[in-house]
């Protein structure tokens, strides 16, 4: 039995991870579940999977959760220190990190330091601290298995290959919710418009990141660290059908692609069951349903965030952390109708241009850079 801790169990990735566990009861036992505020759902999950402990990130729901589980032996905890405690607990073998945003960084690091396998959905971990995280994983001999579909695809394409044979990684991009909207119309985009992702049903933050292409920029940074490859050799192409999840081009001119339905159960099960595969496909895939697969260049004027991500990556140090922190503030403001769509990239640009820079950050430096980026983004948005 592999013992799992799931961080972010009530979210989009979290609930789909629970589906995989349900289908493989002989393989997995869940020791801890973590969520931010949806305590009723968390309590229900805790009962169903007979877990040992639960953590509610938002401490104001501690009492309610405790009350809801008082007839059980499940330990109830709250707050970020408790999340860190379960992330490094000796009681689990694998930590599935499906938290959103910067909040995922420390738990990932602590889980690696405690020698756990990591199934990583929280890409912000690698965007902010890829260098430190991959260094720690190497030192500890810990595997980091990506859940992000593009990185799962690349990992699958690289199975059995020699690293020296890689020429380029080609990350596909659906184009997000605004792909049929012109550059001129972007100023009037509402959260409701940006939340309508054409292919994937995901949490609100990543759906907005997909509309701005911040998500794709983050995936470039994520790939840079996961596969230890220079940014110049990571390409992005628009692929509106979301059937080819990404590709690898090799030195002999051969290109491998991984295809499948746009269903996160597949990459989640690949990460959890690796090196085995799930016996049952969620829904079988027929290439005949997709006689036309198309590919196109990204419009870099309409989507400046992609180049900003490459720029942050080449500056290195705290720059990607600054980009991430400012983005988190701006996306939350946009979702609350407090700023316009174009302010998201505006806030990122402002933060990167005004933040202090540290070339060799530690985890503490990241905390400071994240706080500074958030303050800068707030200042930018207040001035608007
Ligand atoms: P979501 O908003 O649906 O769920 C997030 C989960 O994390 C929830 O359970 C929430 O309670 C919890 N959480 C968030 N902040 C927390 C905090 N501070 N403390 C404790 N718990 C907290 O998000 P999601 O779409 O599942 O995305 C999760 C991560 O996976 C993100 O990093 C996202 O970029 C990545 N990802 C998601 C998808 C997808 O299909 N949803 C695909 C690829 C990558
Ligand atoms: Mg992705």
């Amino acid at each position: 039995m592999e013992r799992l801790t799931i961080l972010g169990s009530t979210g989009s990735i979290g609930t789909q991870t629970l589906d995989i566990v349900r289908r493989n009861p002989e393989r997995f036992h869940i020791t801890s579940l973590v969520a931010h505020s949806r305590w009723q759902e968390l309590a229900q999950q805790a009962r169903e999977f007979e877990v040992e402990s639960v953590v509610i990130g938002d401490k104001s729901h501690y009492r309610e959760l405790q009350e809801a589980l008082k007839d059980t032996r499940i330990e109830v905890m709250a707050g970020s220190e408790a999340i860190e405690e379960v992330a490094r607990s000796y009681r689990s073998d694998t930590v599935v990190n499906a938290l959103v945003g910067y909040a995922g960084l420390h738990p990932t690091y602590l889980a690696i330091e405690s020698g756990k396998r990591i199934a990583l959905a929280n890409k912000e971990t690698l965007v902010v601290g890829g260098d430190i995280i991959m260094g720690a994983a190497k030192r500890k001999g810990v595997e980091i298995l990506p859940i992000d579909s593009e990185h799962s695809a690349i990992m699958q394409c690289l199975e059995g290959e020699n690293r020296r044979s890689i020429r380029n990684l080609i990350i596909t991009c659906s184009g997000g919710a605004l792909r049929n909207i012109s550059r001129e119309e972007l100023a009037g985009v509402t959260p409701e418009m940006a939340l309508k992702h054409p292919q994937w049903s995901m949490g609100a933050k990543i759906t907005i990141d997909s509309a701005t292409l911040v998500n794709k920029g983050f995936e470039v940074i994520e790939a840079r660290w996961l596969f230890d490859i220079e940014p110049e050799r990571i390409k992005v192409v628009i692929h509106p059908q979301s059937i080819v999840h990404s590709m690898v081009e090799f030195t002999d001119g051969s290109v491998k692609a991984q295809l499948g339905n746009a269903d996160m159960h597949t990459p989640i099960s690949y990460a959890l069951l690796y090196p085995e595969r799930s016996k049952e496909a969620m829904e079988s895939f027929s290439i005949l349903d997709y006689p036309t697969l198309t590919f196109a260049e990204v419009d870099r004027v309409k989507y400046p965030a992609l180049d900003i991500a490459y720029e942050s990556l080449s500056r290195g140090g705290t720059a990607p952390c600054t980009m991430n922190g400012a983005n988190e503030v701006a996306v939350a403001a946009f979702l609350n109708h407090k700023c316009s769509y174009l302010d998201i990239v505006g806030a990122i640009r402002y933060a990167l241009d005004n933040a202090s820079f540290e070339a060799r950050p530690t985890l503490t430096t990241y905390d400071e850079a994240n706080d500074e980026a958030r303050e800068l983004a707030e200042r930018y948005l207040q001035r608007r």
Side-chain angles (χ1 to χ4, degrees), residues 13 100-101 121-124 127 147-151 171-177 197 200 202-223 234 236 242 245-246 264 303-310 323-324 327-328 331 341 344-345 348:
I13 295 292
V100 188
N122 179 262
K123 64 189 83 189
E124 293 90 344
V127 169
I147 285 180
D148 215 346
S149 58
E150 293 77 4
H151 305 76
I171 298 180
T172 53
C173 172
S174 69
H197 196 284
W200 301 94
M202 313 180 281
K205 193 250 179 190
I206 184 176
T207 307
I208 301 301
D209 289 349
S210 299
T212 56
L213 257 64
V214 162
N215 180 55
K216 213 42 64 177
F218 283 180
E219 291 182 351
V220 169
I221 302 177
E222 188 184 3
I234 308 172
V236 176
S242 296
H245 298 308
S246 277
M264 288 306 294
Y303 297 113
L306 183 59
D307 285 334
I308 296 178
Y310 276 100
M323 175 176 183
N324 178 70
N327 180 61
E328 282 184 25
V331 168
Y341 169 82
I344 299 174
V345 167
I348 293 171

Side-chain angles (χ1 to χ4, degrees), residues 141-353:
V142 153
E143 273 181 308
I144 300 188
L145 299 140
I147 285 180
D148 215 346
S149 58
E150 293 77 4
H151 305 76
S152 177
I154 292 169
M155 181 179 164
Q156 294 180 53
C157 293
L158 289 176
E159 275 293 287
E161 299 288 351
N162 186 327
R163 288 300 164 110
R164 286 190 299 271
S165 311
I166 305 171
R167 182 173 287 156
N168 290 305
L169 304 183
I170 304 157
I171 298 180
T172 53
C173 172
S174 69
L178 308 176
R179 62 193 190 189
N180 297 323
I181 283 178
S182 70
R183 288 175 198 168
E184 294 70 31
E185 289 169 297
L186 288 178
V189 165
T190 62
E192 293 68 31
M193 289 158 80
L195 282 170
K196 284 206 187 84
H197 196 284
Q199 259 89 33
W200 301 94
S201 158
M202 313 180 281
K205 193 250 179 190
I206 184 176
T207 307
I208 301 301
D209 289 349
S210 299
T212 56
L213 257 64
V214 162
N215 180 55
K216 213 42 64 177
F218 283 180
E219 291 182 351
V220 169
I221 302 177
E222 188 184 3
R224 185 264 170 271
W225 295 116
L226 276 174
F227 305 111
D228 190 19
I229 188 164
E230 306 89 299
E232 312 77 67
R233 295 203 288 145
I234 308 172
K235 318 283 177 192
V236 176
V237 295
I238 296 284
H239 169 48
Q241 297 81 17
S242 296
I243 291 301
V244 174
H245 298 308
S246 277
M247 302 177 247
V248 178
E249 181 195 350
F250 296 94
T251 45
D252 63 355
S254 180
V255 177
K256 274 188 183 175
Q258 187 263 344
L259 286 73
N261 294 320
D263 181 349
M264 288 306 294
H265 287 96
T266 304
I268 295 169
S269 72
Y270 190 75
L272 287 183
L273 297 167
Y274 180 84
E276 287 163 40
R277 281 185 185 269
S278 175
K279 301 277 180 297
E280 39 185 329
M282 301 302 144
E283 206 183 312
S284 79
F285 171 76
S286 169
I287 195 73
L288 296 176
D289 293 340
Y290 302 93
T292 313
L293 296 178
T294 59
F295 301 90
E297 289 273 12
V298 176
D299 178 341
R300 318 292 271 224
V301 178
K302 181 175 168 186
Y303 297 113
L306 183 59
D307 285 334
I308 296 178
Y310 276 100
E311 174 199 318
S312 306
L313 186 53
S314 84
R315 283 173 69 188
T318 45
C321 176
T322 301
M323 175 176 183
N324 178 70
N327 180 61
E328 282 184 25
V329 168
V331 168
F334 176 65
L335 284 169
N336 288 321
H337 298 268
K338 296 267 164 56
C339 74
S340 77
Y341 169 82
L342 293 174
D343 283 334
I344 299 174
V345 167
I348 293 171
R349 186 73 268 167
Y350 179 81
L352 279 169
D353 291 344

Side-chain angles (χ1 to χ4, degrees), residues 21-74:
V21 173
R22 261 184 215 108
R23 282 159 193 253
N24 296 276
E26 70 304 329
R27 262 301 284 266
F28 303 111
H29 165 66
I30 302 177
T31 46
S32 303
L33 293 173
V34 173
H36 184 62
S37 54
R38 300 223 293 267
W39 61 272
Q40 286 111 322
E41 204 177 328
L42 182 60
Q44 207 180 349
Q45 294 176 344
R47 282 178 190 278
E48 181 189 343
F49 292 94
E50 299 176 351
V51 306
E52 290 159 33
S53 63
V54 287
V55 181
I56 189 83
D58 180 348
K59 288 183 176 170
S60 69
H61 296 297
Y62 174 70
R63 292 252 164 272
E64 290 153 312
L65 182 61
Q66 203 186 32
E67 189 65 22
L69 292 172
K70 71 171 183 216
D71 59 322
T72 71
R73 294 175 58 194
I74 301 166

